[in-house]
Amino acid sequence: MAIDLEADLDAIFENGDFDTDAVFTISTGPTVTLTVSGWFTKASEAAPFQGGEVEAISPMFDCKTSAIVTVDLKMSVAINAVNYIVERIQDNGTGISTVHLKTKRA
């Protein structure tokens, strides 16, 4: 039996149970938006530390690697009406990537 990784990943990320849309602003060349379904993990609360604040867990977005080939570092993304900046993209080697996000400050 042949495995269709793309179809399997579509079933995981677009089944309506846990998926969330992320709208990336692609700024290489003409500015366009790219909407991708995936799993969003919100940031944990910031904790005070030596006069500043430390965020224990940054927000993350897991999705198909093939869906974000045009996404790059420092690009904007909106998830659940909150704006973020792409801080790092981690290809997990399974067809899934984790996009590490940073809260976009005004």
Side-chain angles (χ1 to χ4, degrees):
M1 176 178 191
I3 295 175
D4 184 350
L5 182 60
E6 288 294 312
D8 289 345
L9 291 174
D10 285 342
I12 291 169
F13 289 120
E14 298 176 14
N15 67 14
D17 289 338
F18 304 106
D19 53 303
T20 301
D21 283 343
V23 181
F24 293 91
T25 301
I26 308 300
S27 53
T28 52
T31 301
V32 296
T33 58
L34 171 68
T35 302
V36 177
S37 288
W39 295 345
F40 177 64
T41 304
K42 291 170 67 172
S44 65
E45 294 292 323
F49 181 73
Q50 296 185 356
E53 287 189 335
V54 174
E55 195 168 289
I57 299 174
S58 296
M60 295 177 280
F61 183 73
D62 294 310
C63 62
K64 291 186 340 182
T65 300
S66 63
I68 59 168
V69 294
T70 57
V71 174
D72 208 349
L73 304 180
K74 300 189 187 295
M75 288 186 174
S76 297
V77 58
I79 302 174
N80 296 331
V82 177
N83 294 316
Y84 300 95
I85 298 292
V86 175
E87 186 174 67
R88 181 168 60 104
I89 301 172
Q90 177 184 0
D91 184 340
N92 298 324
T94 60
I96 298 171
S97 285
T98 300
V99 181
H100 297 267
L101 306 168
K102 193 75 175 165
T103 304
K104 188 172 184 179
R105 306 282 183 214

